[in-house]
Amino acid sequence: MTSAGASVVRTHAGAVRGRREDGLVVFRGIPFAEPPVGDARFAAPRPVTAWDGTRDAFAFGPPPPQESGFQGRTGLIDAPMGDDWLTVNVWTPDPDAAARRPVMVWIYGGAYKLGHSGSPGYDARRIARDGDLVVVTLNYRLGVEGFARIDGAPANRGLLDQVAALEWVRENIAAFGGDPGRVTVFGESAGAGSVASLLAMPSAAGLFGRAIAQSVPGPFFSDGLARDIAAAIAAEAGLRPTAADLSSVDPRRLTAVGEALGPKMREFEDRWGMVAHTLTAFSPVVDGEVLPTAPWQALAAGSARDVELIVGHTRNEYRLFAALGGHLGTITDEQATAALRTFGPGPGPGSGFGADGERAYRAAFPDASPEELYEWVHSDAVFRMPSLRLAEAQIAGGGRAHVYELAWPAPAYGGALGACHGLDIPLLFGTFAADLGLMLFAGVGSSPEAEAVSSRFRTAWTAFATTGDPGWPAYDTERRPTQVFDTESVVTAYPHETSRRLWEHHDFGALPLLR
């Protein structure tokens, strides 16, 4: 039922009323599961209770509890409060069940400890309008609530939330004008790690037919490592790593416990290896049940051979983190050496080459400065090589993958940030004056050049969701065709052949507990 300014759609749980905005109908804050509090705390998501009457879907649901992080940049300061964290939002050209438009489901990033689908940077109106498709964004549990490996609770609760949201899409999206048989999941950073996880999860099989993973993070935890990290987090509050103990702390206060571990992570280097030098104590856990194996092994074994995949990264992934940490222009040779020995590739997960890895990188990049080596090994280890190897695993398992790199530099600070991590978000959504866009576009909004790159990026994604063809050839391990998005976008052989060869024998997988 529609009117001049509103539209009512009936979901399986009850009717919701959305608003007409800029040629679309937008529904915000629709619950897809019960609030995970009380006796539902630390449990798998539970079906939402049906409601009577028509529920206004005008406002985004509350963000899941999370660390302070980037709250000022991600719209959380003005976010609503409450326990209805598990909600979805829908942008649709027309909620007509006969339309059967392609559906894109966005999963936000944020190191598995930050994020909210209501952040202004994830306003999906341009994707839905330009692509003439339906876009869904969702919330999932973060940090301790979503990813800590604790006794008495299933692992990977945040991933289970994503599966529940995709089940909601399957059951309800037709009423919003979408086709449940043409669903594409897409996400960036931790969202891309989530997409990779979904490709490997039996419970997610059949819920989507296409996937886009933007900057896949390499760290996935073994069960032993995850339990050791959870014990360290709980110890910050004098508690045991159990659902019973942690349930005694309010969810919004428990985030401080996880946050308190951050500055101390390097004290655990002998047990956690490279994880102790990263920015988060949370990652998907290869627990053997929810996530049976790490994505690289699962895809190589054919877990997603029937899912069409785009995977890629930005050219200067780590430069954003160097800038946020105040390290641009300050890296010494000693710091470069430590990074090369910690993050350099080894034969298996969690094993570095040490001095051999340092020598290999210095020999491969003889003219690189300490800062370039520092950035390059971080970018390779954490994002670029995990992303490339995911594509190779998909091909090995009998599937198809398209590979890309974003090389166009962010305009802020005279281009000093390069094509850094997260730049693809404002380009994809066209949100140049929100969230990271404020930082990467210096608060001045877009330019004709930025709009052109943004349009090409967005068009490729929506074309892929519609037809399975993003506009460039599928990847293969002989020619290695890669779409490079820049002022003049080209298809070329994978542009980081030196790094690829350095990492070609490294086995990405679940990181072990070292001691």
Side-chain angles (χ1 to χ4, degrees):
M1 181 175 66
T2 62
S3 65
S7 183
V8 174
V9 167
R10 179 162 293 280
T11 73
H12 283 200
V16 292
R17 180 183 291 109
R19 284 179 171 157
R20 293 194 171 274
E21 302 175 10
D22 298 328
L24 302 168
V25 184
V26 184
F27 300 81
R28 297 180 173 90
I30 305 172
F32 66 83
E34 282 292 284
V37 296
D39 63 359
R41 184 111 179 256
F42 298 117
R46 299 177 179 179
V48 66
T49 302
W51 59 85
D52 296 324
T54 299
R55 179 181 181 131
D56 286 339
F58 299 158
F60 292 112
Q66 56 194 271
E67 298 181 14
S68 54
F70 301 102
Q71 287 186 2
R73 292 195 189 97
T74 56
L76 293 180
I77 290 176
D78 299 322
M81 298 294 291
D83 296 331
D84 267 326
W85 314 327
L86 302 183
T87 58
V88 294
N89 319 293
V90 181
W91 285 257
T92 177
D94 183 16
D96 177 3
R100 310 289 286 188
R101 288 180 169 88
V103 181
M104 298 186 72
V105 181
W106 170 253
I107 303 174
Y108 55 72
Y112 305 102
K113 62 181 183 178
L114 302 165
H116 175 218
S117 64
S119 296
Y122 304 144
D123 186 323
R125 70 184 68 188
R126 294 188 70 173
I127 299 175
R129 191 169 55 227
D130 293 1
D132 190 34
L133 42 69
V134 178
V135 181
V136 178
T137 66
L138 62 95
N139 281 354
Y140 61 95
R141 281 173 283 182
L142 301 164
V144 177
E145 300 292 325
F147 289 94
R149 185 68 170 110
I150 57 178
D151 290 336
N156 300 305
R157 296 169 298 280
L159 298 179
L160 292 174
D161 293 343
Q162 296 167 18
V163 172
L166 288 167
E167 290 172 339
W168 182 94
V169 169
R170 180 184 60 192
E171 295 165 0
N172 295 285
I173 205 63
F176 294 85
D179 183 349
R182 285 197 294 168
V183 174
T184 300
V185 293
F186 66 129
E188 185 268 349
S189 196
S194 297
V195 168
S197 299
L198 292 168
L199 290 167
M201 291 170 61
S203 61
L207 293 175
F208 56 92
R210 294 177 182 133
I212 304 172
Q214 304 168 211
S215 301
V216 179
F220 275 63
F221 296 165
S222 65
D223 201 59
L225 173 61
R227 289 184 181 276
D228 200 64
I229 293 173
I233 292 171
E236 291 293 323
L239 301 171
R240 297 172 300 167
T242 67
D245 271 27
L246 294 172
S247 290
S248 68
V249 183
D250 182 272
R252 292 169 186 82
R253 292 182 53 213
L254 190 59
T255 59
V257 177
E259 194 165 7
L261 180 66
K264 305 175 183 178
M265 285 177 60
R266 294 201 177 189
E267 298 173 12
F268 298 87
E269 180 180 15
D270 62 331
R271 301 216 302 268
W272 301 351
M274 66 172 284
V275 173
H277 293 267
T278 65
L279 300 175
T280 182
F282 304 102
S283 280
V285 181
V286 179
D287 66 305
E289 184 176 351
V290 175
L291 186 59
T293 56
W296 299 272
Q297 287 72 44
L299 267 64
S303 70
R305 65 166 58 96
D306 295 327
V307 179
E308 296 167 322
L309 175 65
I310 291 177
V311 62
H313 52 70
T314 69
R315 177 158 293 181
N316 309 106
E317 288 279 3
Y318 204 75
R319 204 172 294 180
L320 173 69
F321 304 104
L324 292 174
H327 301 315
L328 282 184
T330 69
I331 299 300
T332 65
D333 198 59
E334 290 75 16
Q335 289 173 306
T337 295
L340 292 170
R341 294 186 176 196
T342 300
F343 289 95
S351 60
F353 279 155
D356 288 342
E358 178 201 354
R359 283 192 289 269
Y361 256 87
R362 290 187 183 277
F365 302 101
D367 299 323
S369 68
E371 183 158 13
E372 288 169 333
L373 289 170
Y374 180 90
E375 177 196 323
W376 222 243
V377 73
H378 276 98
S379 294
D380 282 345
V382 182
F383 296 112
R384 290 198 306 223
M385 294 304 107
S387 298
L388 179 66
R389 292 290 291 278
L390 192 73
E392 294 178 345
Q394 173 73 339
I395 295 165
R400 184 167 63 118
H402 298 262
V403 173
Y404 77 91
E405 179 180 69
L406 174 60
W408 186 79
Y413 312 109
L417 295 176
C420 64
H421 188 74
L423 176 61
D424 45 333
I425 297 174
L427 287 173
L428 175 58
F429 285 86
T431 49
F432 303 103
D435 299 352
L436 269 177
L438 283 170
M439 175 184 179
L440 302 180
F441 289 82
V444 299
S446 65
S447 65
E449 183 177 296
E451 289 285 358
V453 176
S454 173
S455 179
R456 286 197 294 273
F457 207 75
R458 190 162 51 252
T459 297
W461 268 219
T462 58
F464 177 72
T466 302
T467 68
D469 182 2
W472 72 91
Y475 193 79
D476 66 73
T477 54
E478 292 183 3
R479 297 175 300 125
R480 305 189 185 277
T482 304
Q483 173 70 64
V484 178
F485 290 98
D486 205 336
T487 305
E488 297 294 332
S489 296
V490 297
V491 177
T492 185
Y494 182 70
H496 304 293
E497 179 65 8
T498 301
S499 290
R500 188 193 69 79
R501 288 187 176 277
L502 283 173
W503 287 85
E504 64 182 337
H505 299 300
H506 180 83
D507 181 20
F508 285 100
L511 298 172
L513 178 65
L514 299 182
R515 182 173 66 83

